[in-house]
Amino acid sequence: GAVVSQHPSWVICKSGTSVKIECRSLDFQATTMFWYRQFPKQSLMLMATSNEGSKATYEQGVEKDKFLINHASLTLSTLTVTSAHPEDSSFYICSGQGTDNYGYTFGSGTRLTVV
Amino acid sequence: AQRVTQPEKLLSVFKGAPVELKCNYSYSGSPELFWYVQYSRQRLQLLLRHISRESIKGFTADLNKGETSFHLKKPFAQEEDSAMYYCDLNSGNTPLVFGKGTRLSVIA
């Protein structure tokens, strides 16, 4: 079945540094990639939607200059957390959808800890 | 606006007891509804979708348009069913509209 590979699985970084998270669709073309954030004991919250070749659409309250999303190809989308702060520590997960509407395929998530 | 409501944050049942995880939605068109499951420390997985009308791991869910519900049911709960369950409405190429999730705890 469709697989989205997300890396890294976990990362610890210093406050003020930037972290890049990659999501690759391995056997399908993800025309749309969604990025979610999940704080402990809370539901997934959508951060942004990206369509291949277009600028991402950010949800209200999500800083686009802080969370840079690139979806340059149908198989790769990246989320860069710039100038990370401890409050950015969270679980980030991507999900991709191809042209066939078989539901969403999720990455395995990235646990970001900013110290 | 699209909305999904899972009224129970936590549901505890004894092993062997029936399970019903509630999901209500609001959507003006014809929705596609899904249930996702997240086992501890694992990725979200698609459990089932209403149009397939299949049973996965003993779970079924029927779309009730009159009641705008898509409750997830299983006649006999097992310990390995303990997980977080999310109901989701998909109207096409739009973001997931997740419910807040229900944590199912099956007690031995």
Side-chain angles (χ1 to χ4, degrees):
Chain A
V3 175
V4 170
S5 176
Q6 183 172 347
H7 295 281
S9 298
W10 59 271
V11 57
I12 301 174
C13 70
K14 289 185 177 181
S15 184
T17 61
S18 296
V19 174
K20 179 184 283 189
I21 301 169
E22 287 190 355
C23 278
R24 294 181 182 271
S25 56
L26 298 185
D27 51 6
F28 73 103
Q29 294 182 326
T31 54
T32 304
M33 193 72 80
F34 303 102
W35 287 93
Y36 296 85
R37 181 167 54 185
Q38 185 180 39
F39 293 105
K41 298 184 180 180
Q42 296 185 25
S43 66
L44 285 174
M45 293 177 60
L46 179 65
M47 298 175 66
T49 303
S50 71
N51 292 300
E52 184 265 336
S54 302
K55 287 185 178 180
T57 302
Y58 290 82
E59 295 299 298
Q60 191 173 9
V62 178
E63 300 174 58
K64 62 181 181 180
D65 294 329
K66 181 174 182 61
F67 298 98
L68 302 178
I69 291 172
N70 184 284
H71 193 170
S73 76
L74 288 170
T75 58
L76 175 64
S77 179
T78 61
L79 167 67
T80 301
V81 183
T82 63
S83 187
H85 290 285
E87 56 264 31
D88 298 325
S89 298
S90 184
F91 186 69
Y92 294 86
I93 189 166
C94 62
S95 71
Q97 183 181 23
T99 54
D100 296 320
N101 190 20
Y102 290 132
Y104 297 89
T105 302
F106 291 94
S108 54
T110 298
R111 172 78 58 193
L112 170 64
T113 302
V114 184
V115 297
Chain B
Q2 304 167 23
R3 191 170 65 246
V4 170
T5 303
Q6 291 180 252
E8 302 145 327
K9 286 187 177 180
L10 174 66
L11 180 64
S12 296
V13 300
F14 286 103
K15 178 182 176 181
V19 174
E20 182 178 69
L21 299 169
K22 292 184 168 53
C23 172
N24 290 93
Y25 68 91
S26 63
Y27 179 62
S28 58
S30 296
E32 292 186 42
L33 286 144
F34 304 80
W35 275 99
Y36 293 82
V37 59
Q38 185 179 30
Y39 299 104
S40 179
R41 300 184 182 180
Q42 296 185 28
R43 70 175 68 192
L44 271 171
Q45 303 173 36
L46 177 63
L47 182 61
L48 54 81
R49 56 189 302 198
H50 87 273
I51 63 172
S52 64
R53 300 186 64 81
E54 57 188 345
S55 174
I56 303 293
K57 299 184 180 182
F59 284 98
T60 59
D62 291 321
L63 177 63
N64 186 322
K65 291 187 176 181
E67 296 180 358
T68 59
S69 67
F70 188 55
H71 302 327
L72 183 68
K73 300 177 182 179
K74 185 170 182 176
F76 306 104
Q78 299 175 342
E79 288 181 73
E80 54 265 33
D81 295 328
S82 295
M84 193 78 180
Y85 292 80
Y86 293 91
C87 183
D88 165 45
L89 183 154
N90 182 356
S91 61
N93 199 16
T94 53
L96 290 172
V97 179
F98 266 116
K100 291 190 178 298
T102 298
R103 183 169 297 281
L104 174 64
S105 178
V106 181
I107 306 166

